[in-house]
Amino acid sequence: MPLRPELDFIGLAPFLRLSIAGGDLRQVAQVLLEQARQDQDNPNLWMNLATAFFTLGERELGLTIQGQALQMQRRYTLPARRQPARYRLLVLLNAGDLAENTPIDCLLEDSDVELIYQYVSQAEPLPADLPEHDAVLVGLSVTDTSQPILDALVPLLAHWPQPVINAPQYIPNVEREAASALLQGVPGLLIPATWPVDRSALAAFADGSRAIEDSFPGGRFPVILRPTGSHGGHGLARIDSAAEIDAYLAAEPENSFYLSNFIDYSGPDGLFRKLRVALIDGQPFPCHMGVSSHWMIHYLNAGMYEDAAKRAAEFAFMEGFADFAARHATALEAIHRRSGLDYLCIDCAETRDGTLLIFEIDHAMVVHAMDPEELFPYKQVHMLKVRQAFEDYLYRLQASRPTPL
């Protein structure tokens, strides 16, 4: 990963690219740490170091270092790779780890879009000295710390002179319980009901003093449990019977969880296929398909790099995506309309009866074109379409703005 001598802010994309390529992120982080000790007043360097530690999974250390960077500076700029920049996108962010905000720089690598990252807070949800920009992207996820900021942004952005992408009042729609309620009743779409549950209720299920089916309409084993606010599969588990709950609670210290029924989405061959689809201004695009013998799929550990047959299946999905989009047009349109979001991603699957099973909708999923071309020659073409669609959306917003008199 080439770090420029002046140590400009470089965002997430170079670190993620290095990680995917199997590079030594720890060595890079060590070099950055040594540089930071010698140049302690460089906020760009500290922010880069925080991102490196987040990418390594060192969350607490990353948060500490990020906090130091934000004490010095709350605005960071990523110049467009293709100059001159054609567009300036102001991205509002919240302090936090990689799951906290939309990783838009991963999608817009090699574009002519300049990204201006503004870290906001409840005390200052929208600074008065914002630089010129062509549109605002609200990048904050839904968390306990971000919700008050989102609430404060609603009136501030309601009549903003530039277009607002992913308006703050719609961001909470991606929260798991909210999304589950929002998408019920859509023909051809299945999203399991999601119920909040605390440790005491789970303990009651475990000791038999309460029955899951009496507590939640339609509840039954097996179920999926995850800590509230978790991402990336952290704490996610399938529980096949009440007898397994005690062991789960022993491993998870949190007090609040989400519970939902497990849906078997395996295909006739017994394999599970999880799809990521991007919706850009309502138009769907394929991002990837992970294939695994295990129900909990993460693309990086699904064996896609090792198994040519799995890559062939992904290639067929991406090449035939027009048929997929046509089959699920009603469901995809409903997700776009009901969520209210201009840009979001969907992790989903098709059940054996052809229903679109939704795992999660979110605007903070990673979308990128970083997989090695020698293994995934088909991906560059499709991911370029996703990036181009987002750029075209930005330019349409620009063209639709009234011309000043």
Side-chain angles (χ1 to χ4, degrees):
M1 177 186 60
L3 293 178
R4 292 165 51 166
E6 61 269 37
L7 294 169
D8 287 340
F9 171 64
I10 61 174
L12 170 61
F15 295 104
L16 182 60
R17 181 173 287 280
L18 182 64
S19 177
I20 290 173
D24 191 348
L25 266 175
R26 290 198 174 275
Q27 182 180 12
V28 171
Q30 185 62 42
V31 170
L32 287 174
L33 185 58
E34 291 300 322
Q35 292 173 330
R37 287 171 176 160
Q38 299 171 23
D39 188 7
Q40 297 186 15
D41 296 325
N42 187 335
N44 291 328
L45 176 52
W46 286 107
M47 187 60 78
N48 291 337
L49 181 59
T51 305
F53 279 115
F54 286 141
T55 310
L56 285 166
E58 300 284 353
R59 182 178 184 273
E60 294 307 317
L61 185 55
L63 289 174
T64 299
I65 295 171
Q66 183 189 72
Q68 184 165 339
L70 293 176
Q71 285 181 356
M72 293 185 270
Q73 178 177 303
R74 298 190 69 85
R75 185 177 303 150
Y76 297 82
T77 299
L78 272 174
R81 187 75 61 86
R82 301 201 312 265
Q83 291 288 336
R86 184 178 171 186
Y87 205 94
R88 301 186 77 200
L89 182 62
L90 176 65
V91 186
L92 303 183
L93 307 174
N94 188 26
D97 62 19
L98 300 184
E100 190 75 31
N101 301 291
T102 302
I104 197 65
D105 67 309
C106 296
L107 173 62
L108 293 178
E109 270 196 310
D110 299 321
S111 76
D112 53 11
V113 178
E114 178 175 291
L115 299 175
I116 306 164
Y117 283 176
Q118 178 69 53
Y119 283 85
V120 296
S121 65
Q122 188 174 359
E124 193 176 27
L126 209 55
D129 63 340
L130 290 173
E132 290 186 9
H133 53 277
D134 297 298
V136 179
L137 171 66
V138 181
L140 291 76
S141 292
V142 186
T143 64
D144 291 341
T145 60
S146 70
Q147 188 61 62
I149 305 173
L150 292 169
D151 292 340
L153 285 172
V154 172
L156 294 175
L157 293 177
H159 303 289
W160 199 249
Q162 285 77 31
V164 176
I165 302 168
N166 286 357
Q169 61 267 33
Y170 300 125
I171 298 292
N173 288 339
V174 305
E175 189 269 335
R176 294 185 188 278
E177 187 179 0
S180 174
L182 194 70
L183 297 178
Q184 296 299 325
V186 177
L189 183 152
L190 172 62
I191 181 167
T194 298
W195 301 291
V197 61
D198 59 21
R199 290 186 76 88
S200 62
L202 290 175
F205 298 152
D207 65 22
S209 59
R210 290 176 60 183
I212 190 171
E213 56 269 22
D214 294 337
S215 300
F216 304 113
R220 45 88 184 137
F221 288 104
V223 298
I224 297 295
L225 277 176
R226 72 178 79 223
T228 302
S230 68
H231 294 276
H234 297 294
L236 177 66
R238 170 178 164 171
I239 306 297
D240 290 330
S241 68
E244 298 179 8
I245 294 177
D246 281 336
Y248 177 82
L249 291 177
E252 297 297 332
E254 288 79 3
N255 291 316
S256 60
F257 303 85
Y258 282 134
L259 180 149
S260 59
N261 290 339
F262 171 77
I263 306 296
D264 183 358
Y265 65 99
S266 60
D269 57 0
L271 296 177
F272 296 87
R273 294 164 176 81
K274 188 172 80 169
L275 323 171
R276 178 161 295 177
V277 175
L279 281 182
I280 300 173
D281 196 23
Q283 186 176 0
F285 295 88
C287 298
H288 67 228
M289 179 177 78
V291 184
S292 177
S293 59
H294 193 276
W295 65 269
M296 185 168 59
I297 301 177
H298 301 295
Y299 193 84
L300 290 178
N301 62 16
M304 302 299 295
Y305 290 76
E306 297 81 14
D307 193 327
K310 291 183 177 181
R311 295 195 297 275
E314 182 182 44
F315 168 72
F317 161 67
M318 299 184 90
E319 288 291 301
F321 185 75
D323 291 337
F324 174 94
R327 289 197 302 274
H328 302 296
T330 298
L332 294 170
E333 190 278 331
I335 294 171
H336 172 63
R337 176 170 42 83
R338 294 189 184 190
S339 71
L341 294 173
D342 311 293
Y343 170 74
L344 81 159
C345 296
I346 308 165
D347 275 352
C348 58
E350 287 185 289
T351 63
R352 294 192 189 189
D353 65 2
T355 299
L356 186 67
L357 173 64
I358 304 298
F359 302 120
E360 184 178 6
I361 64 171
D362 200 356
H363 59 300
M365 296 182 189
V366 178
V367 176
H368 65 79
M370 301 178 188
D371 290 313
E373 194 165 359
E374 62 273 16
L375 284 179
F376 302 87
Y378 52 90
K379 271 199 173 178
Q380 293 297 321
V381 173
H382 289 283
M383 298 316 299
L384 179 60
K385 290 179 181 178
V386 183
R387 190 189 78 194
Q388 190 62 56
F390 193 88
E391 291 181 9
D392 290 345
Y393 171 59
L394 294 180
Y395 305 145
R396 287 199 304 273
L397 291 177
Q398 191 175 43
S400 65
R401 290 173 57 191
T403 304
L405 297 176

